[in-house]
């Protein structure tokens, strides 16, 4: 009884996507032009960069399992049992990244947050705003489902206390 929740589309200016592509191509170009021994490390770096930028946003997912909301990221999973969480819509926005990853379509880790009743969140989001706050034991998680209202409705149907 697992239900996948679509993640909101990435919200990033086209210039940023081009900049990421340019950096990856520059590193690949340096690898191709470098003398003998430097080809391997620079080539590996270019491939790694391309893989991370391509793979990371695709690994971000939310799943409504039988007893818990499961948040999956490139580096692992967080299981949030329905009986231990509350959820609400937020007009807040991610601020400064304190720890984690911040690239287009993939924002994970600890971020400052506001304006909201919480000042820091654990993000697992595809964009910086327009999401849902899920709280468990004093930790606030910022998630960005494609349809926040439907997501909150699904959580409420599973017994989660949903606020407005």
């Amino acid at each position: 009884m697992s239900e996948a929740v679509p993640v909101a589309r990435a919200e990033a200016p086209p210039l940023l996507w081009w900049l990421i592509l340019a950096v990856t191509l520059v590193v690949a170009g340096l690898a191709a032009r470098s003398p003998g021994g430097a080809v391997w490390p620079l080539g590996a770096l270019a491939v790694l960069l391309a893989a991370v930028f391509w793979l990371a946003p695709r690994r971000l997912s939310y799943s409504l399992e039988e007893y818990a909301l499961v948040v999956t990221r490139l580096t692992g999973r967080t299981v949030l049992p329905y009986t231990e969480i509350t959820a609400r819509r937020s007009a807040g926005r991610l601020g400064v990244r304190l720890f984690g990853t911040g690239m287009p379509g993939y924002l994970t880790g600890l971020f400052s947050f506001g304006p909201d009743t919480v000042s820091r969140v654990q993000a697992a989001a595809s964009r910086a705003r327009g999401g849902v706050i899920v709280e468990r034991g004093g930790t606030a998680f910022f998630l960005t489902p494609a349809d926040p209202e439907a997501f909150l409705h699904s959580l409420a149907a599973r017994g989660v206390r949903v606020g407005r």
Side-chain angles (χ1 to χ4, degrees):
M1 178 177 132
S2 175
E3 178 185 341
V5 177
V7 176
R9 286 189 49 173
E11 178 182 84
L15 180 62
L16 189 55
W17 292 105
W18 286 108
L19 180 63
I20 290 168
L21 177 62
V23 167
T24 304
L25 291 174
V26 165
V27 171
L30 288 172
R33 297 191 64 187
S34 55
V39 172
W40 159 243
L42 285 175
L45 178 60
V47 169
L48 179 66
L49 281 173
V52 166
F53 284 119
W54 180 81
L55 183 62
R58 285 159 181 74
R59 290 287 298 156
L60 180 63
S61 68
Y62 316 129
S63 177
L64 299 172
E65 303 293 334
E66 189 172 351
Y67 298 104
L69 165 63
V70 177
V71 179
T72 305
R73 300 166 316 283
L74 185 63
T75 57
R77 296 169 20 125
T78 301
V79 178
L80 303 167
Y82 298 131
T83 58
E84 299 176 15
I85 62 175
T86 60
R88 64 182 168 79
R89 187 80 193 260
S90 177
R93 174 180 180 79
L94 292 178
V96 175
R97 182 179 66 244
L98 305 172
F99 179 81
T101 304
M103 59 187 197
Y106 190 76
L107 303 158
T108 63
L110 186 63
F111 284 76
S112 65
F113 193 74
D116 197 279
T117 57
V118 295
S119 59
R120 292 191 317 181
V121 294
Q122 279 294 132
S126 59
R127 52 177 55 181
R129 62 175 171 241
V132 170
I133 297 287
V134 174
E135 293 183 89
R136 177 187 184 207
T139 302
F141 297 86
F142 179 71
L143 311 177
T144 52
D147 185 347
E149 292 305 319
F151 178 65
L152 290 173
H153 181 71
S154 293
L155 287 175
R158 288 166 169 79
V160 173
R161 193 165 33 115
V162 174
R164 293 288 166 208

